[in-house]
Amino acid sequence: MKKPILLAALIAALSFSAVGSPAVLAKSTETAHNQWDHKFEQIVSKRINVDNIYNNIDYLSKTPRVAGTESENKAVEFINSQFKKYGYKTEIQEFKFIGYTPPDTVELSVDGFSGDLHPGAFTFSVNGDVSGALVNAGLGKKDELQNLDLTGKVAFIKRGEIPFAEKVLNAAEKGAVGVVIYNNVDGPLNGTLGTANDKYVPAVSLSKSEGESLASLLNNGQTLTAALTIAGAESGERTSHNVIATKPPTSKKKSTNEIIVLGAHHDSVAGAPGANDDASGTAMTLELARVLKSIPTDTEIRFITFGAEEEGLLGSRHYVNNLPEDQLNRIVANFNLDMVGSKDAGDLIMLTLDGKPNLVTELAQASSTRFNGQPTPYAQGGRSDHVAFAEVGIPAALFIHDPVEPWYHTPDDTIDKISKEKLQDVAEIVSAAIYDRAKYDIKWPKPKKSKKQKAEELYYEQSIK
Ligand SMILES: [Zn+2]
C-alpha cells in the first residue's frame, strides 16, 4: 500500500523519522488514514513549547492592559511583532468606543454613624461632591420612589432586581443629589452602570454589612446625613485594537475556502494584571500561530487577539460586524481562549452560547478524547468573544476552566498562579482540533451553520445588577 506521500513529506519536513509501520497502514485506507492523521496530530502538538506561552504571559501581565490605554497599545505592539516574527502578515484593526477612567477619590461619610465605611465607585459613576439627608429608597424601583421626595437628598438603595444604572436614574429623576447602593451578598460590590449617561448623579457602593448597619439606624428612625465625593473619573472616546494574523491555505487550488478563527482578548480590567484573564489565551494564540505556521493546510486560519472585551465584547463585535458577507459565510469555527491556565481554577470546559454542541465542540471532544481518554465537556455560557461569532450563526465555543479562580478580575491575577500543565493540555486539544479540520486533505461536507443567537446580557449579570 502506498504511503500518503504528502504526509510523509510533511513528517520529513518536521524532521520526525519514526513514520508509521506498513502493517498498521495496511488495515484499510480509512483506518490507515486516521492513524496517519493522528500520528501527525501528535507531531503538531509536540511542537508546542509551553515555556513560550508561559513567558509571553509573564511579559504581558506586568501591568493591567485596559482597553484604550498606553498599556493596551504596548501589548498590541508586542503581539503584532510576535506574529510578524513567526512570518505572518498582520493587520491592526482600530476601533473607537466610550471608555471610563475610574476615579482617584471615592469618599463617603455619614453623620450619625460611627463605623468605618469603604465606599467603591461603579464603572461610569460620575464625579461630584454632594451631601444631603440619607433616605431609604428600597430597591430604587420606580413604584417604590413614586411617593418619595428625594430632592436634595441622598438615596439609600439595596442591590437587587433591577440594574444599578436604573436605580441611579430613578433616584436622580426624583431629585436625589447622590446615591448609595449596598450589596445584598457578602463582599464588596464592583458593579458597572453599563454606559456613560449625563443624567447620572454621583453613586457609590457599600458592602452588605456596611449597608445593613446604616439600614438598621434608618429603620430605627435615626436621621443620617451623607456626604459623598467622587473625583478624577472620566468617560470619553477611546481607541482600541484587534490584531489579526492570517495563514492562507497552502495551495489556492486545493483550498476548501473555509476559514477557522482562533482568538483571545488581550485587554484586562483596571487594576488586574490579567495573567490568566486573558494573557493566557493571548499567549496561547501566539504559540499556536507559531506551531501551525509551517503546517500545510487547505483551510485559512486567522489568529486574532481582540481589544475591549472587558468593555462589553467590543473588539470581537467590531470585527464580526465589519466582515464582508462572503467572509462571514466562510468562517466555519471560532475557538475562543479566555482564561486557560489558572492553577486555582477547575477543569476545562467548553461553553457555547446556546449550550448545544457545534463543529468546535465536536472537533475538540474528538481531540481531547485522543489526548486524555475522555471528551472535554461542554455547557451553556456567553460573556466572552465567542458570543460575537455565535450571534451571526458561526459555530463558536469558549475554552475556560470552571469554576474560575478566586483571583478573577483582581490584582492577584498574576503569573505565579499559572499552571504550565493546564496550558499544555488546552494547547494540545485546541491545536489538534484545528489541525483536524484544517489539514491538507479531502473536502469536508459544509458544516451546519448555527442558528443566529442573541446574547442576553453584554456583561456579567453580577456586574450590572
Ligand atoms: Zn476574559
Side-chain angles (χ1 to χ4, degrees):
M1 175 170 190
K2 221 175 131 210
K3 276 185 194 171
I5 289 164
L6 176 69
L7 284 173
L10 291 180
I11 286 165
L14 289 163
S15 56
F16 186 88
S17 52
V19 293
S21 78
V24 170
L25 290 172
K27 276 185 192 161
S28 74
T29 315
E30 200 29 53
T31 342
H33 212 96
N34 282 343
Q35 280 166 357
W36 268 100
D37 283 347
H38 298 152
K39 186 125 222 156
F40 193 72
E41 164 184 289
Q42 281 172 13
I43 297 167
V44 172
S45 71
K46 281 207 178 82
R47 301 182 116 202
I48 297 164
N49 180 348
V50 77
D51 289 330
N52 287 345
I53 307 178
Y54 189 88
N55 294 340
N56 284 340
I57 296 172
D58 190 27
Y59 181 88
L60 287 164
S61 62
K62 298 280 187 236
T63 62
R65 302 170 302 282
V66 177
T69 66
E70 199 39 52
S71 66
E72 188 210 357
N73 295 346
K74 277 208 177 117
V76 163
E77 260 171 49
F78 173 73
I79 294 158
N80 189 46
S81 70
Q82 292 299 105
F83 279 138
K84 284 192 160 161
K85 201 171 92 186
Y86 305 149
Y88 284 94
K89 275 210 176 102
T90 63
E91 182 200 341
I92 297 180
Q93 186 181 41
E94 187 183 294
F95 59 93
K96 308 270 185 207
F97 70 101
I98 301 298
Y100 181 73
T101 305
D104 45 42
T105 307
V106 182
E107 286 166 1
L108 172 69
S109 62
V110 178
D111 249 15
F113 177 73
S114 55
D116 240 5
L117 296 173
H118 306 90
F122 293 90
T123 303
F124 292 111
S125 274
V126 293
N127 292 327
D129 193 359
V130 298
S131 64
L134 193 66
V135 177
N136 196 339
L139 291 166
K141 295 193 286 187
K142 265 211 157 94
D143 56 330
E144 289 174 291
L145 304 188
Q146 215 164 30
N147 302 314
L148 220 53
D149 180 16
L150 292 175
T151 307
K153 295 171 179 162
V154 175
F156 182 65
I157 298 175
K158 188 174 178 172
R159 179 184 193 176
E161 291 191 34
I162 59 170
F164 302 124
E166 228 175 293
K167 294 174 194 271
V168 174
L169 291 172
N170 289 347
E173 203 176 286
K174 297 296 287 184
V177 292
V179 174
V180 176
I181 299 176
Y182 66 102
N183 213 343
N184 59 0
V185 291
D186 287 336
L189 201 181
N190 296 313
T192 176
L193 304 179
T195 53
N197 191 324
D198 292 342
K199 296 200 174 95
Y200 293 149
V201 290
V204 298
S205 64
L206 287 179
S207 71
K208 185 179 173 214
S209 64
E210 291 167 333
E212 283 173 350
S213 304
L214 292 173
S216 73
L217 294 178
L218 288 174
N219 291 341
N220 288 337
Q222 201 167 321
T223 307
L224 299 176
T225 306
L228 62 100
T229 305
I230 299 178
E234 193 239 314
S235 55
E237 191 176 81
R238 309 280 152 84
T239 304
S240 182
H241 306 85
N242 299 326
V243 189
I244 306 160
T246 302
K247 174 175 161 51
T250 309
S251 145
K252 263 204 179 129
K253 246 171 136 183
K254 290 261 172 71
S255 167
T256 56
N257 221 21
E258 292 182 353
I259 302 169
I260 291 175
V261 176
L262 168 65
H265 70 89
H266 58 243
D267 65 313
S268 76
V269 296
N276 197 41
D277 186 14
D278 184 27
S280 66
T282 300
M284 197 176 291
T285 300
L286 285 173
E287 179 61 3
L288 295 194
R290 189 190 69 80
V291 164
L292 289 163
K293 178 68 180 75
S294 56
I295 307 280
T297 51
D298 58 16
T299 294
E300 180 173 324
I301 306 175
R302 293 186 188 175
F303 304 91
I304 310 180
T305 72
F306 297 106
E309 187 267 0
E310 301 287 5
E311 315 290 326
L313 318 181
L314 303 183
S316 50
R317 286 213 163 107
H318 178 84
Y319 177 75
V320 167
N321 292 339
N322 287 283
L323 276 176
E325 188 73 25
D326 142 69
Q327 293 189 29
L328 267 182
N329 292 331
R330 286 165 52 210
I331 299 176
V332 295
N334 166 240
F335 291 76
N336 177 27
L337 307 174
D338 193 357
M339 302 168 71
V340 287
S342 177
K343 275 179 190 167
D344 308 304
D347 291 331
L348 183 64
I349 189 168
M350 296 179 280
L351 301 178
T352 63
L353 188 53
D354 59 4
K356 294 187 182 134
N358 58 38
L359 180 63
V360 177
T361 60
E362 282 158 18
L363 290 168
Q365 287 209 318
S367 66
S368 53
T369 303
R370 293 194 295 273
F371 280 107
N372 300 335
Q374 54 186 26
T376 299
Y378 61 84
Q380 196 269 329
R383 305 159 184 168
S384 186
D385 291 321
H386 61 299
V387 168
F389 291 85
E391 280 174 338
V392 293
I394 294 167
L398 162 65
F399 291 75
I400 189 169
H401 292 105
D402 180 64
V404 303
E405 62 278 14
W407 329 118
Y408 166 68
H409 283 188
T410 74
D412 295 321
D413 181 5
T414 45
I415 185 71
D416 52 304
K417 321 290 194 318
I418 295 294
S419 151
K420 288 188 185 176
E421 290 70 32
K422 278 191 166 143
L423 293 174
Q424 179 78 34
D425 178 59
V426 181
E428 280 177 358
I429 291 170
V430 171
S431 63
I434 291 174
Y435 170 68
D436 198 1
R437 184 76 190 186
K439 68 187 174 230
Y440 212 91
D441 56 6
I442 46 156
K443 250 204 158 35
W444 292 94
K446 208 168 160 50
K448 261 184 265 148
K449 272 270 169 187
S450 301
K451 264 208 208 102
K452 291 193 181 180
Q453 297 163 47
K454 195 89 199 83
E456 298 256 308
E457 302 276 11
L458 260 186
Y459 301 91
Y460 279 95
E461 178 136 320
Q462 70 212 45
S463 309
I464 63 158
K465 69 183 186 185

